[in-house]
Every structure is written in structure tokens, then in C-alpha cells.
Amino acid sequence: MRISVFVLSVFAVLIFASGCDLVNPAERTPTYVRIDSFQFVPTTGTGTQSHKITAVFAYLDAAPIGAFDLPAKIPVLADKKGVLLVRPAVVYSGLNDVLVPYPYYEEDTVTFVPAPGATVTFTPRTKYTADSTMNILNEDFESGNSFVSLQGDTMRKTNDPKYVFEGNYGGVIELNNSDYSESVMSEYFTAVPSGAFLELDYKGTLPFQIGVIGSDGTQDVTSYLFGFNPKSEWNKVYIGLQDFINTYPNKQYRILVKVAQKVPTTGYVAFDNFKVITQ
């Protein structure tokens, strides 16, 4: 009888131990892929090489791993070789909690070889996608100033180093004891509903807004899309124009810039490298 009790006790312990393994399986050890930044490759006809890639979306054999701020240490759980694909990501329209893979930057890949517990380094390369390089409207203020005043103080071209991000010239809106400035890009662009982005570099002491005006020759529609706070150092933003274009398709579009204060004030916003990219 004692033997039977002992056997049953051992059997129960084995069942319990097996159950624990099923509930708490052994944890797998990932291989870590370190990515500090993207190397940006210049291409002819795309203007400035300025970029602000702040994150990466990672995939292994097309299966998503996740989004990671740069510099990143990406844990990859895999037992066999595969293809690691990374897409450069940017902050959407200045909204710090919204990251998007930038559709006009190329992804990069590398052969992934598992080495559990180890860290391997990957420096991906990116450049503008081939289908975007012929659809870029660029205003870098080097050859002129395509912005014209609609109301108030205008955006002017300047070679004052304080207002120039790169090259010899930049653009600046200065309020001198005034409260309003609204300018529009004189050049038109077209875009399909799948989307368009505006890139620009800016800094300044005043907030500003970016908008779009659409025209079909008979009626104009105007909307200010996003506002941006003052920055003491140069900052780059990627502004999505898709919602406006989807709402008002089949038009010609221009970019609007507005600085509006409640009371007359003195300050500035400096700009460089307005770049509208469409498909």
C-alpha cells in the first residue's frame, strides 16, 4: 500500500512538472540587431539631402517585428536564416506620437543569421524612391523666391546666415510690430489621391501654419492643415497633404504659409528646402 502511494505521488509530481512546462515554456533568446541611423544616399534632381529619420519599422520574411526609435536594438526571435527588411520612419506632420514609414524613402534589407544573445550591427541605406524623383517641386531659395504675399508681411529671400539652413539663401517671414503674414507658393503641383508630402526645414521665434489651396479654374478651396511651434534650432518636418487631396481631388494645388498673432509682435520664422513630393 505504501508503494502504491509512493508511485502515485511520483506520478502526480511528474504531471505537475509537465504542466508547468506547458504553462511556462522555456523562453527563447533573441538575436539583437543594432541600427544607429540610416545612411542617406543622394540622387540627382531631388534637392537637399536633409532628412530626419527618427525610427524604423522592421520585418523578418515579411512578418512585422515592430517599430523602434533610433538608435534601436531590435530583438529578433528566429531559428533560421531570413531576410530582415527595414523601412525608414518619420514623425507625421509634427505629431510626435504618430510615426509612419515614409513612402518616398526606399527600404533596405539584409540577410539575417540567428545568433541568440549576440548583437549584430546593421547600417541601412536609403534614398528617394524611383517613382518620386520626377515629381518633386523644390523651393530652396537659391535661384529665387516662389512665395508671394497674400496679406500682411511677406516671405522674402535672404542671405543672412541666421536665416539660412544650407546653401547661400533661405526664406524668412519677419513680423516687425505686426500680427499677420500669409504667403502662397506661386508654383502649382498636381497629385493623385494616394498622397503627397511637403518636406521643409524651419526655425524661429513664432508659431506658423501650413495649408493648401486647391483650384480647378472656377473655384478655390483653402484649408490650413497643421501648426508648428517655435524652434530655436533647425527642425525638419514631413507634412501629409493626403487628406486635403482626397477631399478635393483633380485640382491644382499650392502651398500656403501663415503666421498669425493675437497682438502686434516682433519675431521671425526662417525656412529652407520646401519640397513637395507626389506620385
Side-chain angles (χ1 to χ4, degrees):
M1 185 67 178
R2 291 177 183 174
I3 296 176
S4 299
V5 171
F6 176 76
V7 171
L8 289 173
S9 299
V10 171
F11 182 73
V13 169
L14 292 174
I15 292 294
F16 178 77
S18 175
C20 288
D21 288 340
L22 292 174
V23 173
N24 299 302
E27 292 187 3
R28 300 165 65 194
T29 301
T31 302
Y32 295 95
V33 179
R34 181 172 181 84
I35 299 177
D36 291 323
S37 62
F38 273 82
Q39 180 182 348
F40 194 84
V41 180
T43 48
T44 302
T46 57
T48 178
Q49 300 176 39
S50 165
H51 67 87
K52 191 176 181 181
I53 300 170
T54 59
V56 58
F57 282 74
Y59 307 79
L60 183 65
D61 292 335
I65 300 173
F68 303 87
D69 291 330
L70 294 175
K73 191 175 181 181
I74 303 171
V76 182
L77 288 170
D79 300 321
K80 60 180 181 179
K81 275 186 174 184
V83 176
L84 180 68
L85 181 148
V86 292
R87 290 177 175 161
V90 301
V91 172
Y92 180 81
S93 301
L95 305 173
N96 289 327
D97 57 346
V98 182
L99 286 174
V100 296
Y102 193 50
Y104 297 117
Y105 288 162
E106 287 189 352
E107 59 201 26
D108 200 3
T109 60
V110 67
T111 299
F112 172 80
V113 179
T119 299
V120 296
T121 300
F122 175 36
T123 303
R125 293 159 57 92
T126 190
K127 60 183 179 179
Y128 281 107
T129 58
D131 62 354
S132 70
T133 56
M134 297 303 293
N135 299 283
I136 294 179
L137 174 61
N138 187 42
E139 174 54 273
D140 58 11
F141 300 98
E142 295 300 313
S143 59
N145 175 19
S146 66
F147 281 89
V148 295
S149 177
L150 292 179
Q151 187 177 349
D153 295 333
T154 187
M155 184 190 299
R156 64 180 177 86
K157 175 180 173 179
T158 177
N159 61 359
D160 185 337
K162 176 183 177 181
Y163 301 138
V164 178
F165 173 69
E166 62 184 4
N168 297 313
Y169 294 93
V172 63
I173 294 173
E174 293 175 303
L175 296 188
N176 295 304
N177 196 31
S178 57
D179 62 1
Y180 199 83
S181 169
E182 187 175 29
S183 298
V184 64
M185 184 179 280
S186 60
E187 296 184 61
Y188 288 88
F189 65 92
T190 58
V192 297
S194 59
F197 274 84
L198 167 66
E199 300 180 20
L200 64 89
D201 298 287
Y202 77 94
K203 73 170 185 175
T205 60
L206 298 171
F208 68 95
Q209 297 177 54
I210 292 292
V212 182
I213 181 170
S215 177
D216 58 8
T218 59
Q219 184 179 13
D220 292 345
V221 289
T222 299
S223 179
Y224 277 93
L225 308 178
F226 299 98
F228 300 90
N229 291 320
K231 292 284 186 180
S232 59
E233 302 294 332
W234 286 98
N235 184 43
K236 189 176 190 72
V237 289
Y238 300 80
I239 302 169
L241 310 178
Q242 304 93 326
D243 288 346
F244 182 89
I245 293 169
N246 285 335
T247 303
Y248 304 104
N250 304 316
K251 295 183 182 294
Q252 290 189 312
Y253 308 98
R254 291 187 290 172
I255 298 298
L256 293 162
V257 182
K258 180 171 70 176
V259 177
Q261 297 291 290
K262 293 182 179 179
V263 297
T265 188
T266 297
Y268 78 93
V269 187
F271 298 98
D272 211 343
N273 303 319
F274 279 85
K275 188 185 295 186
V276 179
I277 307 182
T278 66
Q279 291 180 329

